[in-house]
Amino acid sequence: MGLGGTGGTTYYSAYSIVGMLLLLGVAFVTVSFAANSLLAPARPTPEKLLTYECGVDPVGEGWAHTHVRYYVYAFLYVIFAVDAVYLFPWATVFAAPGFGVTTLVEMFVFIGFLAVGILYAYKKGVLTWL
Amino acid sequence: MASTAHWWLEVALRLVVILGFFLVVPLLVGQMEHKAMAHMQGRLGPMRAGGFHGWAQLIADGVKFAQKESVVPADADRLVFQLAPAVALLPYLVALVVVPIGPGTQVGVALDLGLFFVLAVMGVGVLGTLMGGWASANKYSLLGGIRTAAQLMAYELPMLLSAASVGMAAGTLSLGAIVDKWQWWWLPWQLIGAFVFFVSGLAELQRPPFDMPVADSEIIFGAYTEYTGLRFAFFLLAEYAGIVLLCLLTSVLFLGGWHGPFSAHLGWLWTVLKTLALAFVVIWLRVSYPRLREDQLQRFAWTALIPLALAQLAITGVVRVL
């Protein structure tokens, strides 16, 4: 009997198996941490709980302000990732009978847009960090 | 009624096998890494634990980790800090459920959206590193977390595009159906996609040459600096489980998975062999290449990997339709 499609496993029960595996994983992690807390010593000292900074006392706080230079990449990434998600449903049907060359031309239009986008970002110097 | 009991029994068996696979195969890869690196660098590696060539070293490590004190720094964001290792680890377990090991029913559960599901779930794993990097309240951890986030921008897109190319070639997103339809000539056809997928996978796993987020010689161990004991061990296990999953996926998507001589009976063996061979390549790369800088990876991804992945999409589309 195969799980998924045949032999009494439906759409929802297939995903419920995924859910059960997740629960099994959570149980594994919980049991491991419980066993760890039974086996391991717990003798906290102020020095031990200090933030590590190469053996000297930490200077300032750990959540320091930093200039995130790659934020332009983040914009690019979000735009392109949303585009890429549309590829998946299309990928399953584009060669189906009745589509053929039309979808192929559409694909080149789509890829063309992405490529022009990257080329534009490249010309604008966005793709060079620092 | 009997068939319901049968169904539950089968599901339980499958889940236990998957959990066993998840806990054992990463250790095999770890042991292979010890030994392969030792031989490539002309040294012995661990030889003592267990007697024969140090085979029990990783088990000894595990026992040691389980007995060590779990330290949560006083300044850390306690709950997020403690949850992070589980968030890093569990996605790799859940993703395994849809990867077919052999023909027919040798898969945890055959989802129609398998490929999409795997990519989505794998993407969650990196959250654990980001959580750990932020919650540690440590400058090195924060730098590591920021580097991880930067890396995310670089690898995710080429990975999605090259995986979509396989979906186009097979006309389905079910991993089992993709392997079913695989022919030997897909190897040259999807070669560029395979390269892009594997390289972006390495960047996702923060493996050398893309290990800037952990870079032990620069920022201690990045997001894992403050972790001790079992929580640190879970991050390590997540890394090796990630290697196993990446190699499994690469062999299933691009190398034909269980296809090989006698695949009707020995299919699973072919999948495992291909996976271990790829895991060896992952280790080999660690020994061979120096670490890149974050901006070099970024440039490599946007000016090489993404254009290559788009070219692969075009090639796949043209060959499939014409």
Side-chain angles (χ1 to χ4, degrees), chain A residues 10 20 28 31 38 40 46 48 50 56 59 73 94-95 97 100:
Chain A
T10 59
M20 281 186 260
F28 166 72
V31 168
L38 290 177
K48 201 187 274 177
L50 207 59
V56 296
V59 180
Y73 284 104
F94 85 107

Side-chain angles (χ1 to χ4, degrees), chain B residues 17-18 43 61 106 111 119 184 285:
Chain B
V17 167
I18 290 169
R43 58 188 174 84
D61 282 344
Q106 295 178 34
L111 295 184
L119 293 171
W184 69 267
L285 290 173

Side-chain angles (χ1 to χ4, degrees), chain B residues 205-252:
Chain B
L205 300 175
Q206 307 175 0
R207 287 288 297 182
F210 308 122
D211 61 337
M212 330 44 137
V214 289
D216 53 328
S217 50
E218 300 169 27
I219 51 172
I220 324 296
F221 216 50
Y224 316 139
T225 301
E226 292 287 0
Y227 281 92
T228 58
L230 195 62
R231 292 203 162 79
F232 182 69
F234 274 9
F235 272 125
L236 282 186
L237 180 59
E239 179 182 341
Y240 286 89
I243 296 174
V244 171
L245 184 64
L246 170 71
C247 297
L248 256 179
L249 275 180
T250 310
S251 61
V252 161

Side-chain angles (χ1 to χ4, degrees), chain A residues 2-128:
Chain A
L3 295 174
T6 56
T9 298
T10 59
Y11 181 81
Y12 290 108
S13 64
Y15 279 93
S16 71
I17 294 172
V18 175
M20 281 186 260
L21 183 63
L22 181 63
L23 288 182
L24 186 67
V26 170
F28 166 72
V29 169
T30 314
V31 168
S32 306
F33 282 147
N36 179 232
S37 64
L38 290 177
L39 285 171
R43 297 186 198 90
T45 61
E47 289 76 25
K48 201 187 274 177
L49 298 184
L50 207 59
T51 301
Y52 177 75
E53 206 160 301
C54 293
V56 296
D57 285 348
V59 180
E61 65 164 348
W63 287 309
H65 283 268
T66 29
H67 176 44
V68 178
R69 291 170 194 273
Y70 54 83
Y71 70 95
V72 188
Y73 284 104
F75 288 138
L76 268 183
Y77 167 71
V78 169
I79 297 165
F80 279 72
V82 171
D83 288 343
V85 167
Y86 287 121
L87 273 176
F88 282 89
W90 171 81
T92 58
V93 293
F94 85 107
F99 289 104
V101 178
T102 321
T103 31
L104 193 64
V105 172
E106 283 171 1
M107 181 197 74
F108 274 106
V109 172
F110 183 77
I111 293 179
F113 270 114
L114 290 184
V116 168
I118 289 188
L119 211 60
Y120 179 72
Y122 181 73
K123 290 291 275 185
K124 282 281 178 185
V126 172
L127 299 186
T128 39

Side-chain angles (χ1 to χ4, degrees), chain B residues 257-308:
Chain B
W258 43 260
H259 284 287
F262 310 109
S263 61
H265 302 290
L266 292 176
W268 60 272
L269 188 64
W270 287 109
T271 311
V272 171
L273 283 179
K274 288 170 186 176
T275 303
L276 288 180
L278 284 171
F280 178 76
V281 174
V282 172
I283 295 161
W284 191 1
L285 290 173
R286 173 173 176 183
V287 184
S288 309
Y289 282 98
R291 179 183 305 137
L292 266 66
R293 278 198 326 261
E294 201 64 74
D295 64 309
Q296 289 171 326
L297 168 65
Q298 214 66 249
R299 198 173 63 216
F300 178 57
W302 286 91
T303 61
L305 289 184
I306 292 178
L308 279 176

